Amino acid sequence: MRTRRLHAVPVPAAPAAEPGQETTADEPLWRHLLGARLRRLRTDRGQTLTETAERAGISPQYLSEIERGVKEPSSEMIAAVAGALGVTLLDLTVAVARELSGLRTTAERQLVRNVARVLSLAA
Amino acid sequence: MRTRRLHAVPVPAAPAAEPGQETTADEPLWRHLLGARLRRLRTDRGQTLTETAERAGISPQYLSEIERGVKEPSSEMIAAVAGALGVTLLDLTVAVARELSGLRTTAERQLVRNVARVLSLAA
DNA sequence: GGTGAGCTTCTGCTCTGAGCGGAGCACCGC
DNA sequence: GCGGTGCTCCGCTCAGAGCAGAAGCTCACC
């Protein structure tokens, strides 16, 4: 797990967002989404950590860490693992975007339900 | 610029790609595409490196490096800079996917033109 | 021409964390 | 019980993340 850095990342100040543009501060992190996608692809293909890691030229331990979002892979590593799984960076970014899009839609539905619930209690 | 690692990333062996699934070995790297997108967003908003970096809680020098794809930002850094620019990870991954999609389409068009040229020379 | 301001990039440094080898753990079949 | 397989834990080395100071670049003003 990533430990706290000496130079910790502070919460950014409220950005001068353009009108109509919303900021979301509670998205999952890139490495978690990416890792989950990579593991899904691998297991769907019935491959072991060892097989895929060998193809990518990395250790199975490290691939496990990447998939679990424990380690931050470099861009070259992402490309190597993608290559080993027979996918592209385009495939991965599309999949992550879809995942995030689904999460946002789910969150919005929950919000609407919660607001309706609060309004019915106030009535 | 990233120097060569002690544990260099070897070219992965040919993956057991599923039929119909293509492998592309010449895509740009994630950090280059991401960085370009972040710079585009920042300059479109008329913000300086210093302003955005302050909002994100990082140094202007480092933001410059991220934008130029010289350094590999962690997932938290990506989130911090996105927040400072008033965008989300979803926005970024969608933009990167679109960029890659456009590159692939352009490459395919070039390939078709080149094949046609070779055929006309052979005739 | 020179000067100053603002912005970005270069350089060199510290120390964090990427990447990995050995070991541990869980599960399965014999 | 055993051995085999697949994955995770643990501790380590050193590559590179992140940054401060300096340098480079552009523009406006005198």
Side-chain angles (χ1 to χ4, degrees), chain B residues 5 39 42 48-49 61 64 68:
Chain B
R5 299 182 177 208
R39 174 160 284 191
R42 177 177 64 80
T48 63
L49 277 170
Q61 300 94 312
S64 173
R68 288 178 284 126

Side-chain angles (χ1 to χ4, degrees), chain A residues 23-44:
Chain A
T23 301
T24 303
D26 55 357
E27 281 181 314
L29 293 173
W30 159 250
R31 68 174 179 272
H32 289 138
L33 294 160
L34 173 69
R37 185 66 195 170
L38 291 173
R39 174 160 284 192
R40 177 64 186 273
L41 287 166
R42 177 177 63 82
T43 51
D44 280 355

Side-chain angles (χ1 to χ4, degrees), chain B residues 1-115:
Chain B
M1 193 61 185
R2 296 180 72 97
T3 60
R4 185 167 180 82
R5 299 182 177 208
L6 178 61
H7 304 292
V9 182
V11 178
E18 292 181 2
Q21 194 167 31
E22 85 183 65
T23 301
T24 303
D26 55 356
E27 280 182 313
L29 293 173
W30 159 250
R31 67 175 181 271
H32 289 139
L33 294 160
L34 174 69
R37 185 67 195 172
L38 291 173
R39 174 160 284 191
R40 177 64 187 273
L41 287 166
R42 177 177 64 80
T43 52
D44 281 356
R45 285 156 172 68
Q47 295 174 15
T48 63
L49 277 170
T50 305
E51 289 171 333
T52 305
E54 274 181 8
R55 283 209 196 85
I58 65 174
S59 72
Q61 300 94 312
Y62 185 47
L63 180 56
S64 173
E65 287 169 327
I66 290 172
E67 289 183 349
R68 288 178 284 126
V70 170
K71 296 290 172 80
E72 198 82 48
S74 67
S75 302
E76 284 89 354
M77 285 299 189
I78 294 171
V81 177
L85 290 168
V87 299
T88 64
L89 181 59
L90 174 58
D91 299 322
L92 293 176
T93 48
V94 165
V96 167
R98 280 198 183 126
E99 179 75 20
L100 284 165
S101 178
L103 289 175
R104 172 188 269 186
T105 307
T106 304
E108 286 165 350
R109 286 204 202 101
Q110 291 284 3
L111 181 62
V112 170
R113 285 201 203 114
N114 288 343
V115 170

